[in-house]
């Protein structure tokens, strides 16, 4: 079925390690987004991409790296994880001609 | 930069009561979206409004976009326990490609 998937769904890592969160969508949406949601808080935009090979910073990009070599994939890498990056990470996609976004199920990341 | 504010932050209602959440933008918007996030879940797109003064209904939910396109509201009539969750608005500006999310209103419903 078409949709947006994220992997892994749960991840525990240690401070200082590099970790990559994967996001895949099958709608061929041009826009993709990464958000983090801390417990009891709203969504904060980390990075977004308007198309393959085009990425831009959001509100909280420090400590994160993204790439988008293919339209359907938008991985998020934490270069050296810190405890403050413990959060739930949501990937979303949007067709671009309309601003509505479709979210993946999320990755719950714990940094110890 | 653009800011989107939502009030109230929390709302507790008795089942059957009405509920309204308000969304205000610091800038004029080209569109606004509403999302619902159930506890432990992910945000789910509900609706998008694009016209000044637009009103749309989905069963017991009524969405409104202000005449000046700087504010919006979501009204739920006769709340049910299934309405529990956090409701987010997100405002978009033409050409930006992305929307700015409000912090959400968390609704709890007492049976």
């Amino acid at each position: 079925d078409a949709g947006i998937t994220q992997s892994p769904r749960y991840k525990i890592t240690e401070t200082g390690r590099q970790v990559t969160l994967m996001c895949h969508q099958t709608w061929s949406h041009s826009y993709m987004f990464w958000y983090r949601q801390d417990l009891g808080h709203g969504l904060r935009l980390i990075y977004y991409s308007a198309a393959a090979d085009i990425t831009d910073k959001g509100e909280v990009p420090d400590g994160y790296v993204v790439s988008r070599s293919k339209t359907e994939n938008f991985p998020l890498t934490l270069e050296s994880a810190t405890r403050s990056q413990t959060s739930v990470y949501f990937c979303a996609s949007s067709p671009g001609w309309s601003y509505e976004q479709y979210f993946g199920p999320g990755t719950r990341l714990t940094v110890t | 930069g653009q800011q989107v504010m939502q009030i109230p932050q929390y709302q507790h209602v008795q089942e059957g009561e009405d509920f309204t959440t308000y969304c205000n933008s610091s800038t004029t918007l080209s569109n606004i979206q509403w999302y619902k996030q159930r506890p432990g879940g992910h945000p789910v797109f509900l609706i998008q409004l694009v016209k000044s003064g637009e009103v749309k209904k989905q069963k017991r939910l009524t969405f409104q976009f202000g005449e000046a396109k700087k504010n919006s509201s979501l009204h739920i009539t006769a709340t049910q326990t299934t309405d529990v969750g956090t409701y987010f608005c997100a405002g978009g500006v033409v050409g930006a490609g992305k929307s700015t999310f409000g912090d959400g209103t968390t609704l709890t419903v007492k049976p």
Side-chain angles (χ1 to χ4, degrees):
Chain A
D1 281 342
I4 182 165
T5 56
Q6 293 183 236
S7 61
R9 294 293 313 280
Y10 302 90
K11 176 75 177 178
I12 300 174
T13 192
E14 295 177 341
T15 301
R17 290 194 179 265
Q18 182 182 82
V19 60
T20 296
L21 310 183
M22 304 301 292
C23 180
H24 176 78
Q25 53 105 354
T26 61
W27 291 304
S28 298
H29 283 170
S30 55
Y31 275 82
M32 295 188 75
F33 307 84
W34 274 107
Y35 295 89
R36 61 176 288 174
Q37 185 175 42
D38 300 322
L39 191 63
H41 289 79
L43 300 159
R44 289 189 288 172
L45 182 64
I46 304 171
Y47 270 96
Y48 67 104
S49 167
D53 297 322
I54 300 175
T55 61
D56 211 343
K57 295 178 180 179
E59 304 170 59
V60 289
D62 293 344
Y64 302 95
V65 174
V66 293
S67 62
R68 195 170 175 205
S69 57
K70 292 184 177 181
T71 300
E72 61 266 31
N73 296 323
F74 192 36
L76 175 74
T77 298
L78 287 67
E79 296 181 293
S80 178
T82 65
R83 288 198 182 91
S84 65
Q85 293 177 310
T86 292
S87 189
V88 179
Y89 290 84
F90 289 105
C91 177
S93 71
S94 172
W97 50 266
S98 176
Y99 282 49
E100 62 203 64
Q101 295 184 29
Y102 296 90
F103 285 76
T107 294
R108 187 173 297 274
L109 176 68
T110 302
V111 183
T112 62
Chain B
Q2 181 191 0
Q3 289 186 315
V4 174
M5 294 145 286
Q6 265 186 271
I7 54 170
Q9 187 175 1
Y10 299 97
Q11 185 78 57
H12 310 283
V13 301
Q14 194 79 31
E15 189 173 21
E17 292 181 338
D18 292 357
F19 159 77
T20 305
T21 174
Y22 300 91
C23 183
N24 295 288
S25 171
S26 59
T27 60
T28 302
L29 302 170
S30 57
N31 56 70
I32 194 156
Q33 304 92 48
W34 285 92
Y35 298 81
K36 177 183 178 180
Q37 184 178 24
R38 294 181 187 273
H42 59 277
V44 174
F45 171 73
L46 294 176
I47 207 162
Q48 177 168 256
L49 307 172
V50 298
K51 296 178 184 176
S52 171
E54 188 170 14
V55 178
K56 286 189 176 181
K57 292 189 176 184
Q58 288 181 349
K59 297 183 181 177
R60 294 177 295 102
L61 278 60
T62 302
F63 304 85
Q64 191 163 3
F65 202 6
E67 293 290 341
K69 301 183 80 172
K70 294 184 73 173
N71 58 75
S72 181
S73 64
L74 158 59
H75 179 83
I76 302 178
T77 303
T79 54
Q80 300 175 358
T81 55
T82 53
D83 296 324
V84 162
T86 300
Y87 293 85
F88 292 98
C89 65
V93 175
V94 91
K98 63 180 178 70
S99 296
T100 299
F101 278 77
D103 285 339
T105 296
T106 299
L107 172 66
T108 56
V109 179
K110 188 174 183 181

